[in-house]
């Protein structure tokens, strides 16, 4: 009995957080360990079904690098890297599309249904959702897409009909050529187009820290105007620079706030949303 | 951190219960200690706002005997009792209406709003909701109403517009004469008319017990066909007889199940709905 | 037969007036003799049901000073007056809320239903409709509310569902403390928020007159810019000053026009709306 | 002032009748003197606009024999009669269609608009509303239609969009050949298809009378089972036999009741609907 | 088999044109030979039903000069012409209204239904659609209307309910007096009010030609700014001047483009809409 | 010009066929050569976009055996066959799901968009659409699904929002295990659940023939009651037996009719739907 009372208390304490996000759109960029480890994966699915039931509109965006690599390997295809970044030739683009939209995506749809949720798996090609051109950077990375337009109608159709939209980060250009898209970039573009209340980016780090070796030095909140200084100081560095930068751009384009959370913690999404302090590093304007 | 993880786990464990009652109508007959004690009262309000947020359609039906008595006393009016039951003369009926619909009811509405919920306070007169005739029993109890018809449109209008309907158990006859109505009876009639998923009746006892002195002898579930035998054996006795009998009638008329819970336990409603074992005595068919 | 022909002629003559107000919102501030005298009361109810049937959206706002006084007296509570204005202590505020929302209001709802109309009785607490702060004037009058916000959704919900909203002029502050509100002020605030076509204020005088002793000197129409001059000249004086002033403010905030009519005349509302000349003093912009 | 009070009283007395027919469909078969005399015509238009405003759904069905005759005459075309009934050859059918749908019909539409109503003029060809075959009787009357099907969607579309549907009684067969249709028959068929609350048939007689020379012998109500006996007795005779018979058939097919009123009385429709006794002879089941 | 394959190919080639006009409003001004010759008439009807089925919203506007003349003649009424333009006296206006709205219009409705389409025949009087004043020109032409307002609700009601609106070009002034209206003018006014995608005007010429004797000199496209120069040069001359001028005005008021096509070519409407080059002379901005 | 006239004539001749299938659901089972040959593939896409534009609701169901085989081969995985039927082990099931839902399906979606249509690619896992159990036959074929339930809401959601649903024939059991499903079976089950007007099955044969060597012996129509006899006679034989049998079952469960067409003919779908004689062998009841 004591246990059930504690349980009730916890539920009641969640009340103000539920009220805060009621009927709001939250985009979750799903990736890293939380997508590999089975326990974490199940916890994420449960979190998302729960959020849906309490009236929060969750959109899941995912990539799936490791699965692509493993399929390429199974097909005996050599991966090519330029300056540490994968070069996406035509075959790789096609395999990436197939693996993300046909395997990773549908597997997530299936998991949602096993938790009694309702999901629809889509990719950037469905309903012409993500329209890209070839990304033009210093280095030619092949068929990597630069998002030109996001058509939200397939996503809002799913949300309005009570389905959780799960979106694989691939797109196509005007000629129907398939492109791989960075999942962070796709999530930011989708969240901007939906004018999301929050973008939750699941990573494998604790968050941004003043001192990488000291978990207690976690920075809870950063105003987006302070980002350049933090980059200069080296506190934001390496792979976090483009990730943070795309969040900043997204916030400037309509996302209300973005948070980087540690996907290695079970139920990290719920903890982030249902506590005052949150669990990761929040970017706000 | 450990705490927030526990919290998340509890939330996730609530998932199947939320799914079970999603979009279903639950009628709560509110009364007894849970309506007098301030801590319990606040807990009930929080429970109801939470249920509303997770997509459950809650209707609150209440009486308020003690408040009527205290107002009559303040007005210097003597109460008359016949065989232990209050005799409701014309003035008493009018005072009951005023106190229930104008004081108790609006106070509950106000409490819901202080918990960031949205409520509308109604009584059986609004929209012609509860139409009564004079109750004809062995003893003449005055203006006590026998419900002839429940018009649900004011209730469903409130639910469809996102308001929690809070309903004072008074009604009127064809000539507009006001009548006091037993709150248990009103709750059953409303729940039947709404074909509610569940009627939760808040009382000041632990539930039905094989041995009244032994709380561990609580009977968790009773098939309504077994009620006559339990009455005969004296396990259902005294004031519980009409209460249980009206639940049985309600289940025969469209309520899916009814449960008698102990309103003295904080968050009893949540515990009842969000656990397998429940907290009181369930009547089912 | 001659009679029925006259009747038909009258109905046909009403045609242009019905067309004028079709589907428009009219707020009636109900009070004075028309609320005390039973014949007048019934006539008002019939008028309102008729207006509703011909497609006019009527909202009734009422106070009920005499009923409050009589209840306080019944409870043996002394009334306190400061400069002729009632001082509302905590108990008085609570009694006012109870009497207005639980007795006067529900009695009006019941009368509408006896005339085959459909009404819902609400007060400023329902759906958080009237949010107040303590009125700060030269004299401290206790719990008398200064309206800060009107939430119209409970009112428009009732109108859209075919119910006449009847509203008791009480409100609450952020902490849920109940306040008495001047019914004229409440009616003006509600009519402004609804951008009403007309505010009809029922009083116990013939209207504004050039010479108070000469009923033929009734002023039919006043442009709101001429009000200050009329106050200066003493033609608007005493209790009419705040009443007229709040109408002027309301017209500036969205009410199309306001009219003060003599509630002592049977069917005054119909006569006002269904004749060219009207029956009282019209304020317009 | 006295006058306006009388007026208000009349309006209030109309209340129960308005309530009775609120949102109900009433089909008026318009014809005879009320369609020729200008004063009567204007009165009918006003009646219909008023009924529409108080929420009654009026459908007007009309013929126009005299206008057809006068056009044929203007065209120098001889009319042919067989046993006193007009023979409708191909040219006559075409002229009838043109005159009814293009002149009489649009003139009525125009009159409604001059009374600030909104009307749409249709004929049996619009939306395939009235589908006929050649009437097969003892005598061949040429292109006179026997109604096979009524498609109500053009009528309900008009009603749902706030337009009064005014319908000329012509139809077409499968090959598009135009046919003249008896207006009484058309009105009955339309009222049946709409399951009308009432069919009002405007004639040039006082109603059915026990003694044709004594207006006081008017029969107010006839159960349709008593019609055969009244025909046998000669109380229903001549042209009234098919008119009454088609009403009886209509009542058997879904019209709630039918009434024959004296169109020579100004505002006969309003008097019929807004008085207990009515004005003509009612047929009921 | 070869034939059916060709047929399929043709259908597929129509695809981009269908997509271009999908859900767009196209107003067809119907007149000239295409309205007299039976083969052409049937082809027009088929074209319109087809366009409706592929999701294009077609509105047909028509006059009917020859039919008016022939009816006047049948009635033995002399036509009066001033400078070659018909003078419309009161009788002529009435006859015009009757013939256009009652004969020509309903005949077109009937033809649509014989092709399994659904149409509603309206004129400018229905729903107060076309409100006119007397046209004031150099010469008094009698009851010829100058359009002051177009009320589109009867037209959009028909379109939204799946009916093709067929509109006779007559109107009325405030007093209900009927007026004849030039059908080109009416079509332009209706197309402007509907903000039509295209106005198709059916004429009896090949289009505008550089050299009237050389069909190969057809001008396919004219920018409306170039119209004055073409008039000056005499390439647009005679009766084409007001026709073209009203198109130019319409384009300035909201029509996207207007095209003059040769109604003597079977299926001219389909050919115009479903080919790149079109068939007539297009006016654009 | 002559060409465009022919084109218009063809379009007009399609009219009755368009009317026949307007707003009806047609399920196309896509497979064989029409899915391999690029010219045929493009023709099918154009046909489907055209059907959608003329108001026909097309659902595309596909398998993709050759693509699965080729992927398995690329992964170096040996295919196992039992009695000529592929054995689907766990890896094969997973690869089949990935290839069908991620490659074949999305490629079709992309082609529809390149023809300016709008499509959504789904598989049996999305929205829990196809729920299966392990197929129990004489031979164990591994993870081949026996359809237990079709949940149509994801399909009708797509249709109602203007998207063409393209469905890969894979499903899952209660535990989320993925299963390969015979595409014919899936198409029949989906068409039955949608109560489709027609199921079009694209094959690589001319249809059912009395004499397989004589194309002129094509059987145009077969009543489903005659199927057993045709099987007995050997006219329906081999792989056609289960294909025809599942069509017969589908017709018994709600499909109106089913047709087997020769996918090797360009625009076979259009020819089938838009001609009286059709192109293949029709099964009807």
């Amino acid at each position: 009995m004591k246990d059930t009372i504690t349980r009730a208390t916890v539920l009641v304490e969640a009340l103000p957080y539920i009220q805060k996000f009621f009927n709001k759109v939250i985009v979750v960029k799903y990736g890293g360990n939380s997508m590999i480890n089975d326990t974490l994966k199940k916890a994420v699915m449960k979190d998302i079904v729960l959020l849906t039931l309490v009236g929060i509109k969750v959109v899941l965006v995912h990539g799936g690098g490791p699965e692509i690599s493993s399929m390429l390997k199974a097909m005996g295809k050599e991966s090519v890297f330029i300056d540490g970044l994968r070069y996406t030739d035509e075959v790789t683009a096609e395999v990436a599309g197939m693996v993300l939209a046909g395997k990773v995506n549908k597997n997530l749809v299936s998991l949602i249904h096993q938790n009694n949720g309702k999901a629809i798996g889509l990719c950037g090609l469905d309903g012409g959702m993500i329209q890209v051109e070839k990304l033009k950077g210093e280095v030619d990375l092949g068929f990597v897409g630069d998002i030109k337009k996001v058509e939200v109608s397939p996503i809002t159709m799913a949300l309005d009909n009570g389905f959780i939209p799960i979106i694989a980060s691939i797109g196509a250009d005007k000629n129907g050529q398939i492109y791989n898209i960075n999942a962070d970039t796709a999530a930011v573009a989708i969240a901007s187009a939906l004018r999301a209340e929050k973008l939750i980016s699941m990573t494998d780090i604790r968050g941004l820290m003043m001192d990488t070796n000291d978990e207690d030095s976690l920075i809870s909140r950063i105003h987006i105007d302070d980002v350049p200084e933090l980059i200069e100081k080296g506190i934001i560095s390496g792979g976090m620079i483009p990730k943070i930068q795309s969040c900043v751009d997204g916030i400037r384009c309509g996302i209300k706030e973005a948070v980087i959370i540690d996907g290695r913690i079970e139920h990290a999404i719920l903890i982030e949303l249902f506590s005052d302090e949150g669990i990761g590093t929040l970017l706000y304007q």
Side-chain angles (χ1 to χ4, degrees), chain A:
Chain A
M1 173 66 84
K2 204 187 132 193
D3 230 51
T4 50
I5 292 176
T6 312
R7 235 155 75 189
T9 314
V10 168
L11 283 165
V12 165
E13 282 168 8
L15 197 49
Y17 305 106
I18 296 178
Q19 290 172 322
K20 184 177 165 195
F21 293 109
F22 189 72
N23 221 12
K24 299 280 167 42
V25 172
I26 288 182
V27 175
V28 174
K29 189 262 154 171
Y30 184 40
N33 270 303
S34 67
M35 209 165 142
I36 295 164
N37 177 301
D38 261 7
T39 309
L40 292 174
K41 207 168 175 175
K42 278 177 193 165
V44 169
M45 295 304 116
K46 278 182 192 296
D47 287 6
I48 286 170
V49 172
L50 182 78
L51 294 178
T52 304
L53 275 176
V54 301
I56 302 174
K57 297 180 166 178
V58 184
V59 178
L60 200 72
V61 180
H62 67 89
E67 296 263 8
I68 299 170
S69 297
S70 119
M71 179 57 58
L72 285 173
K73 199 175 152 196
M75 293 169 69
K77 176 153 172 71
E78 203 71 38
S79 294
V80 182
F81 290 87
I82 302 177
D83 294 344
L85 295 166
R86 183 198 299 274
Y87 178 82
T88 304
D89 61 16
E90 201 164 346
V91 171
T92 306
E94 201 172 278
V95 170
M98 179 181 71
V99 170
L100 296 188
K103 193 179 175 194
V104 180
N105 184 271
K106 300 305 180 188
N107 173 253
L108 294 174
V109 166
S110 182
L111 282 174
I112 290 290
H113 279 268
Q114 282 179 70
N115 283 286
N116 295 313
K118 286 171 56 189
I120 290 283
L122 301 171
C123 73
L125 277 65
D126 291 298
M129 192 201 297
I130 307 182
Q131 295 156 28
V132 305
E133 289 179 5
K134 193 175 185 305
L135 183 68
K136 279 163 198 152
E138 288 168 33
V139 192
D140 178 0
L141 292 170
F143 292 101
V144 174
D146 185 16
I147 299 176
K148 288 299 159 191
K149 204 193 144 188
V150 174
E151 168 58 48
V152 296
S153 63
I155 308 173
T156 53
M157 170 183 76
L159 289 172
D160 291 348
N161 285 273
F163 293 106
I164 301 165
I166 301 185
I167 303 167
S169 65
I170 58 163
D173 66 13
K174 285 186 180 174
N175 306 316
Q177 166 63 43
I178 208 164
Y179 282 75
N180 198 359
I181 306 172
N182 177 284
D184 285 307
T185 314
V188 166
I190 286 167
S192 302
L194 290 168
R195 309 193 77 72
E197 187 71 10
K198 199 166 208 162
L199 168 66
I200 297 179
S201 187
M202 304 189 77
T203 65
D204 288 343
I205 58 166
R206 191 64 194 83
L208 285 178
M209 281 170 287
M210 291 306 285
D211 173 354
T212 343
N213 299 319
D214 175 10
E215 288 229 342
D216 290 348
S217 71
L218 179 79
I219 310 170
S220 285
R221 299 168 53 87
I222 302 174
H223 191 285
I224 57 172
D225 290 349
D226 298 334
V227 165
E229 197 190 327
L230 290 168
I231 291 173
E232 207 173 305
K233 285 188 181 164
I235 290 166
I236 302 174
S237 67
M240 287 309 283
I241 296 182
K243 193 184 277 278
I244 296 286
Q245 197 51 56
S246 74
C247 287
V248 171
D249 295 348
I251 289 170
R252 293 231 159 85
C253 292
I255 307 174
K256 205 159 160 202
E257 53 186 38
V259 66
I260 286 154
I261 64 170
D262 188 347
R264 298 166 306 179
I265 300 170
E266 220 174 313
H267 301 304
I269 298 173
L270 279 195
I271 299 169
E272 167 58 33
L273 290 176
F274 286 2
S275 64
D276 279 341
E277 61 286 5
I279 198 177
T281 299
L282 182 88
L283 290 154
Y284 68 98
Q285 189 170 32

